């Protein structure tokens, strides 16, 4: 969003009339936040979870030389017998890290260990279990293939080839591959500074006694954990009481340092819902009704230089809206490219499901293998957006399209396993 050139059609924070489809809300948010600008060089060993800012190219071959895949005997393929046996004289040993220095001639072989360079004059390794050794003589039978058990230089990474693409989020495997090519430092995107806060007079922090009408604040805790799983460090601004002044002060202060502010609660149309009011006065905000259940109300906007997400207060709603709308935006802000698409699998309903057309639903459910080997899925009994226990007992969402009505047992539905969410 460019505040200087705001036009209703292009303003990502513009209010939608009626319900906004989830894909449209996701698209607007991801496009608005854009890609990160700043990068930093860090040691490879500290880069787990970070996003690569520049494509890594191999300036060596991996492996750097032909080497043995087995413990055995290295020889030239011309020494393999067509029938019967050949007897070769062992002229030395090749160790991993201590190559055999000489040339292997006709009638000769070298004892070789896994990872040792192929000695000059050899191209094939026979496993030690497949030979007979008699003194210095090594006896080899038929059935071997020229070149067997030899790893080729560059077969993992060729010289000049791409090791990892810019935009990759670095997993242990990514780090290992880069290390195998001798990479010591990587350029990664700087991570966005994210501040979170809860709104609500009823909220008490854990460890304090509950007063009348109070409940414990759970959203900051689950939000922090969801952010940390994305590799983001969180500033926790605590609980903001339901007062206009306090909400304004907290949000303005957060916008001084944070690049992203995530609040929960206070975005409905109740009398104590001040978040949108403050954002309207001090920044730019769209108050959207996204056509999903749970989680209809969502505020998205800008406050100073910070992006703002106002999530609904109900704990399940705040988690669902985080996963569906905030997480893709944060992944984009972290430089992840392309954005991961949700993993959806097909499963058969174990029981009928009630669903009114009009909103895309994320029903908390459990997957199990059915008797016919197909996956079956059963929605949990309590689907209230306040019942956080449903997120603990579930291992997936059943994702029901907006137009979908009631379903019968045995019908196929799409399921998003929780394991695929980050
Ligand atoms: P609100 O969106 O502020 O109207 O809140 C909707 C519901 O979510 C109310 O029942 C709140 O008490 C509850 N709620 C709001 N914020 C939190 C929170 N941080 N932790 C637990 N429940 C919350
Ligand atoms: Mg509230």
């Amino acid at each position: 969003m460019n505040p200087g050139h705001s036009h209703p059609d292009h303003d990502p924070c513009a209010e939608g009339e009626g319900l906004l489809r989830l894909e449209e809300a996701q698209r607007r948010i991801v496009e608005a936040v854009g890609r990160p600008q700043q990068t930093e060089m860090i040691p490879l060993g500290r880069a787990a979870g970070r996003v690569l800012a520049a494509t890594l190219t191999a300036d060596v071959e991996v492996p750097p030389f032909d080497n043995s895949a087995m413990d055995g005997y290295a020889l030239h393929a011309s020494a393999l017998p067509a029938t019967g046996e050949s007897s070769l004289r062992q002229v030395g040993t090749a160790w991993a890290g201590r190559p055999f220095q000489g040339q292997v001639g006709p009638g000769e072989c070298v004892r070789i260990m896994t990872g040792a360079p192929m000695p000059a004059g050899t191209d094939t390794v026979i496993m030690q279990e497949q030979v007979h050794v008699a003194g210095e003589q090594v006896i080899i039978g038929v059935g071997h293939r020229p070149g067997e058990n030899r790893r080729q230089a560059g077969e993992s990474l060729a010289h000049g080839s791409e090791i990892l693409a810019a935009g990759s989020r670095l997993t242990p495997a990514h780090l290992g591959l880069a290390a195998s090519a001798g990479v010591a430092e990587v350029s990664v995107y700087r991570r966005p500074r994210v501040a979170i806060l809860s709104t609500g007079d009823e909220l008490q922090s854990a460890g304090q006694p509950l007063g009348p009408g109070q409940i414990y604040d759970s959203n900051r805790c689950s939000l922090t954990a969801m952010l940390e799983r994305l590799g983001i460090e969180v500033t926790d601004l605590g609980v903001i009481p339901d007062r206009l002044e306090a909400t304004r002060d907290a949000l303005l202060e957060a916008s001084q340092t944070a690049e992203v502010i995530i609040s929960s609660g206070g975005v409905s149309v109740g009398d104590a819902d001040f978040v949108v009011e403050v954002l309207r006065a001090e920044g730019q905000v769209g108050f959207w009704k996204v056509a999903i259940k749970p989680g209809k109300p969502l505020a998205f906007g800008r406050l100073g230089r910070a992006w703002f997400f106002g999530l609904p207060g109900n704990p399940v709603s705040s988690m669902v809206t985080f996963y569906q709308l905030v997480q893709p935006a944060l992944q984009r802000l972290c430089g992840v490219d392309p954005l991961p698409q949700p993993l959806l699998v097909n499963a058969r309903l174990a029981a009928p499901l009630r669903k009114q057309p009009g909103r895309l639903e994320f029903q908390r459910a459990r997957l199990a293998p059915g008797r016919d080997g197909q996956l079956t899925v059963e929605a949990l009994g309590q689907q209230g957006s306040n019942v956080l226990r449903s997120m603990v007992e579930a291992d997936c969402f059943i994702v029901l399209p907006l137009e979908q009505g009631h379903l019968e047992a045995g019908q196929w539905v799409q399921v998003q396993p929780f394991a695929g969410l980050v």
Side-chain angles (χ1 to χ4, degrees):
M1 184 177 63
N2 181 340
H5 301 86
S6 61
H7 180 278
D9 290 349
H10 297 113
D11 182 355
C13 305
E15 313 261 331
E17 314 86 55
L19 288 180
L20 198 59
R21 280 185 169 258
L22 176 63
E23 314 83 71
E24 175 62 13
Q26 285 168 333
R27 192 188 60 73
R28 287 193 198 182
I29 290 175
V30 166
E31 278 180 12
V33 300
R35 293 166 201 278
Q37 303 296 325
Q38 293 175 23
T39 63
E40 55 186 330
M41 286 299 282
I42 60 169
L44 187 68
R46 294 222 330 269
R50 302 296 298 271
V51 180
L52 203 60
T55 295
L56 284 180
T57 308
D59 55 13
V60 294
E61 290 194 300
V62 181
F65 43 82
D66 286 9
N67 67 93
S68 177
M70 293 286 169
D71 294 333
Y73 293 85
L75 47 81
H76 193 270
S78 59
L80 292 172
T83 57
E85 293 177 334
S86 346
S87 178
L88 301 176
R89 190 166 65 86
Q90 185 192 324
V91 293
T93 302
W95 305 89
R98 252 194 297 152
F100 175 77
Q101 299 294 350
Q103 174 80 25
V104 180
E108 295 178 344
C109 69
V110 164
R111 171 96 173 106
I112 194 165
M113 307 304 160
T114 305
M118 295 296 292
T122 71
D123 59 8
T124 301
V125 173
I126 310 300
M127 288 169 66
Q128 66 186 32
E129 294 85 346
Q130 295 176 348
V131 305
H132 293 295
V133 180
E136 280 199 338
Q137 294 304 117
V138 178
I139 294 141
I140 292 153
V142 292
H144 296 287
R145 184 178 51 80
E148 74 184 25
N149 299 320
R150 185 185 82 225
R151 301 166 174 164
Q152 310 249 14
E155 80 180 9
S156 184
L157 289 171
H159 191 269
S161 66
E162 177 179 299
I163 308 173
L164 299 170
S168 307
R169 184 157 189 244
L170 299 172
T171 66
H174 288 84
L175 299 183
L177 185 64
S180 76
V183 172
E185 286 195 312
V186 281
S187 168
V188 295
Y189 290 110
R190 223 179 48 65
R191 290 175 289 194
R193 286 188 296 274
V194 178
I196 62 168
L197 53 98
S198 295
T199 70
D201 284 337
E202 75 279 29
L203 299 178
Q204 180 61 284
S205 297
Q208 306 293 319
L210 285 181
Q214 288 194 314
I215 59 169
Y216 286 117
D217 177 356
S218 60
N219 288 347
R220 274 184 300 137
C221 194
S222 42
L223 275 172
T224 301
M226 290 188 289
L227 288 161
E228 285 177 349
R229 284 216 299 209
L230 295 175
I232 292 172
E233 283 166 32
V234 185
T235 306
D236 185 344
L237 300 178
V239 178
I240 312 303
D242 288 321
R243 286 198 313 277
L244 186 59
E245 274 297 301
T247 309
R248 174 184 298 133
D249 291 350
L251 291 180
L252 285 178
E253 196 189 323
S255 72
Q256 301 296 311
T257 49
E259 290 149 271
V260 178
I261 304 169
I262 304 171
S263 71
S264 69
V267 290
S268 313
V269 288
D271 292 342
D273 294 331
F274 295 116
V275 169
V276 174
E277 197 178 326
V278 168
L279 267 287
R280 282 208 177 109
E282 307 291 339
Q284 289 154 296
V285 68
F287 176 42
W288 297 348
K289 291 190 170 66
V290 184
I292 57 173
K293 185 181 176 186
K296 191 163 62 171
L298 175 89
F300 170 63
R302 200 88 164 123
L303 184 62
R305 292 216 303 263
W307 291 106
F308 175 82
F309 294 90
L311 307 184
N314 272 309
V316 181
S317 308
S318 75
M319 288 194 78
V320 168
T321 47
F322 180 90
Y323 281 135
Q324 298 303 324
L325 291 155
V326 186
Q327 181 162 298
L330 290 171
Q331 286 169 319
R332 172 56 33 100
L333 275 171
C334 288
V336 175
D337 189 46
L339 289 180
Q341 293 306 302
L343 172 69
L344 293 173
V345 299
N346 292 321
R348 240 193 250 279
L349 278 182
L353 257 195
R354 301 191 60 75
K355 154 93 170 63
Q356 301 295 338
R359 288 202 265 166
L360 189 155
E361 280 193 27
F362 294 93
Q363 295 212 5
R364 277 76 67 210
R366 288 193 67 85
L367 276 169
R371 251 170 297 148
D372 55 1
Q374 310 273 19
L375 277 178
T376 65
V377 66
E378 184 161 19
L380 297 174
Q382 280 182 305
Q383 295 287 330
S385 61
N386 55 324
V387 184
L388 199 45
R389 187 164 43 76
S390 71
M391 289 291 288
V392 172
E393 290 174 0
D395 55 16
C396 66
F397 291 124
I398 301 175
V399 185
L400 298 168
L402 186 138
E403 305 77 18
Q404 180 72 54
H406 303 319
L407 290 120
E408 306 289 332
Q411 275 188 260
W412 287 96
V413 288
Q414 284 204 309
V415 164
Q416 183 173 12
F418 285 175
L421 268 183
V422 257

